[in-house]
Every structure is written in structure tokens, then in C-alpha cells.
Amino acid sequence: MKCLELEKKRILVTGGAGFLGNQVIEQLCKAGANREKITVPRSRECDLRVMENCKQAADQRDIIIHLAAHVGGIGLNREKPAELFYDNLMMGTQLIHAAYEAGVEKFVCVGTICAYPKFTPVPFKEDNLWNGYPEETNAPYGIAKKALLVQLEAYRQQYDFNGIYLLPVNLYGPEDNFNPKSSHVIPALIRKVHEAQMSGVTRIPVWGDGSPTREFLYSEDAARGIVMGTQYYNESDPVNLGTGYEISIRDLIDLICELMEFEGEIVWETDKPNGQPRRCLDTQKAKQAFGFTAQVDFKQGLKNTVEWYRQNAPQLVA
């Protein structure tokens, strides 16, 4: 398996200041990249929805890892579907084109599990990505990100542009987004339990009926998988990054309550959406293609995330 040596590469990591981005930069450095050659554009100075900014960002780069996304949980997907579609499509498609024009050696696009059809046979195999429409609440986001896979495949076919597309499952870990307006399920539940404990509340509302299942990948594992893909994978076919471990939302909240020693009641709000019924990935392709397997045990990863939140909760704004 030929390795892309990173030491002399000029690397752009969009979203590099975020939850996953920080981990990706750490893993890049562990794999030999020079931190001084890694550039992280910040959205307030470099809005990637503007083509000129994409051109400037891509100029004189050898590798681009595109993590930047406008993303959130079910609540944000219901509230701002148009923004999620437009922002993610424009950022990605313009940056890919700018990278091609700038002669970038490799483009690593991080997609989303939301791109899979609503009723995908479990475990999700990459071959099933186009076998139906995504779950309705996150379809605008999922389709915008999936369009980038089509673009990369087209640019490889016509221009021989080396772009790869990785599909990490739901991420979690320290430094996650705990804002209740835009957070995903794990940080949202951890925050709910913590705030209930702080205020003496004994009942916690949770959306849905608890029956959907999810798979979660610790951020450090995801970052390691992205860097391994960057170094060793050079094909157009998408690749799942996950653990293969599936847990129901009901069991998830029970585990969080156990770890946080919360003994109150969970109130299921069955008038709220469940989201996709099941999510669990087939992870064999990543193992075969570039040797990636997840290493962090889910309960340990969850414990690390709870501890980080408790230590940092006072500094986190709403």
C-alpha cells in the first residue's frame, strides 16, 4: 500500500478549528505533517460560499481536507433546510473546482451518513448509497453533501483529479458542539442531564420514542481514519468510517444516565420525529482499503465526553 508522505505537503484543512478539525490536525502531525505547513481558514475571514475565497484558499496547496460544514441535529434540519442545502453545496462544489484549477494533488471530502437512503439495509454498505431518498428531515443536507461525491467522480473521470470521499458515521467526543439549538444527540443528551442535575429537575424530555438505533464514532478515531484515507486511498468509490456497533436511543440515554449518575425519569416526546429508523455501517471497506478500524470503546469514549463537558460547562455559552 503506497503511502502519501505528508512531511513537505502544504495542507489546507477547512473546518480545522472545529471539533473534528482539531483532531485531524493532531493526527496529521502524528503521521508526519509539518504543523507550520497546515493552514486552517476561518469562516469569518474566508466564507467558502464565495468562489474568490475558495480560489485563495486552494492556491499553492498540495492537499485539501474538506471538513467544513453547516450541520446540526434534527431541530436545525427542520428549521433551516434551505440554508443547510445551499451552504454545504456551495462550499464544497466551489472548493473542489478551485482545487482542480489550482492543481491540488489530492482532495479529501468528508461526507455524511445522512446521505444514505431512509430505509437502507443494515449494516449500510457503500453500494447502497443511491438506492433511495434520504430520511426527509436531513435530506437537504445529505443530498448537498452527496452531490460532492458525484462531482469528485466526474472530475476524476474528465480531469484525472484525485479526490476521495469518506463517510464517517455520527461523531462524538470532547469539544463537541453542546449548543441545544444545533447539537447532535449525544452532546444534547449530556447537556440535558447535566442541567437537570444542576437545577434539581427529575424529569427529562427526549424527542421520539427511543426506538431508532445509531452508531457513533469517537472523534479521535474518525480523525485517524481520515488521515489514513488521505495517505493510502486513491479511488473514487466512497468509504464508510465507523465501528459497526449499533445502539438504540433508549439504551443510549440509559447509559448516559448511568455514567452521570442521574436517576430521574425520561419522558419520550412521541409527537417529535424519530429520524432515520436505523443507522449502522458496514466498515469492511475501510479496513481492506487502508487498514482503518476504530479503537476507542464506546462506553469509554462517552465517559471521556461527559467528563470534558462537566469541566467546561461553565464556559460554554447557550
Side-chain angles (χ1 to χ4, degrees):
M1 207 183 296
K2 189 177 179 181
C3 176
L4 176 60
E5 298 294 339
L6 301 177
E7 184 181 357
K8 297 180 181 178
K9 301 299 184 184
R10 298 162 298 179
I11 305 172
L12 180 80
V13 183
T14 72
F19 159 56
L20 176 59
N22 285 327
Q23 295 284 352
V24 167
I25 290 169
E26 288 302 312
Q27 294 297 322
L28 282 168
C29 293
K30 284 184 179 179
N34 182 341
R35 192 178 289 266
E36 292 182 1
K37 292 182 180 291
I38 299 173
T39 303
V40 177
R42 302 304 296 267
S43 58
R44 57 181 174 270
E45 292 107 21
C46 183
D47 184 343
L48 294 174
R49 295 172 299 179
V50 178
M51 185 61 178
E52 191 56 39
N53 292 339
C54 291
K55 289 181 177 180
Q56 291 176 9
D59 186 43
Q60 297 186 38
R61 307 294 168 209
D62 300 308
I63 300 169
I64 294 179
I65 300 177
H66 181 46
L67 307 175
H70 186 177
V71 63
I74 291 178
L76 187 69
N77 278 287
R78 295 177 84 200
E79 182 186 351
K80 297 184 175 180
E83 287 183 31
L84 291 172
F85 180 83
Y86 179 84
D87 290 353
N88 288 292
L89 181 66
M90 296 307 290
M91 282 193 292
T93 195
Q94 294 188 137
L95 188 61
I96 290 169
H97 189 72
Y100 153 67
E101 288 191 320
V104 169
E105 182 180 342
K106 188 164 190 178
F107 193 102
V108 179
C109 187
V110 176
T112 173
I113 211 67
C114 299
Y116 272 101
K118 180 176 182 178
F119 298 106
T120 306
V122 177
F124 294 8
K125 290 183 169 65
E126 293 89 347
D127 292 345
N128 293 326
L129 195 58
W130 294 100
N131 293 350
Y133 194 75
E135 199 278 323
E136 292 79 5
T137 55
N138 54 40
Y141 171 65
I143 290 173
K145 296 289 278 187
K146 188 154 65 167
L148 305 181
L149 169 61
V150 178
Q151 184 179 4
L152 288 172
E153 290 174 335
Y155 278 48
R156 182 182 291 273
Q157 180 182 340
Q158 185 171 345
Y159 304 132
D160 198 28
F161 181 64
N162 188 12
I164 67 169
Y165 191 89
L166 305 176
L167 281 160
V169 77
N170 300 57
L171 303 181
Y172 76 105
E175 300 182 8
D176 203 343
N177 170 25
F178 287 85
N179 186 321
K181 294 179 180 177
S182 57
S183 58
H184 286 101
V185 62
I186 285 180
L189 293 175
I190 289 172
R191 179 166 180 152
K192 275 190 177 185
V193 172
H194 177 78
E195 291 183 344
Q197 289 175 316
M198 292 298 99
S199 58
V201 172
T202 58
R203 302 174 87 239
I204 296 177
V206 178
W207 278 22
D209 61 14
S211 65
T213 65
R214 294 291 180 264
E215 175 184 343
F216 298 97
L217 181 62
Y218 195 60
S219 56
E220 184 181 323
D221 272 336
R224 193 168 47 80
I226 290 165
V227 172
M228 291 175 74
T230 302
Q231 290 188 282
Y232 295 105
Y233 187 65
N234 295 292
E235 305 296 330
S236 59
D237 293 339
V239 182
N240 290 334
L241 297 179
T243 64
Y245 172 70
E246 184 180 12
I247 186 171
S248 72
I249 299 301
R250 186 175 293 274
D251 289 342
L252 172 64
I253 185 62
D254 286 348
L255 182 54
I256 289 172
C257 289
E258 175 192 326
L259 289 171
M260 299 183 73
E261 299 181 342
F262 177 74
E263 297 179 353
E265 180 187 357
I266 304 302
V267 180
W268 296 101
E269 297 186 313
T270 54
D271 59 323
K272 297 290 198 303
N274 268 329
Q276 194 166 20
R278 291 181 71 188
R279 279 187 194 163
C280 186
L281 300 185
D282 183 307
T283 59
Q284 289 305 303
K285 191 170 184 177
K287 185 175 181 179
Q288 293 163 1
F290 48 90
F292 171 74
T293 55
Q295 294 178 348
V296 179
D297 171 75
F298 181 60
K299 189 171 183 178
Q300 183 60 52
L302 207 54
K303 186 178 179 182
N304 296 347
T305 309
V306 167
E307 289 174 356
W308 183 89
Y309 179 71
R310 281 180 161 161
Q311 290 169 6
N312 292 275
Q315 291 84 45
L316 298 177
V317 293

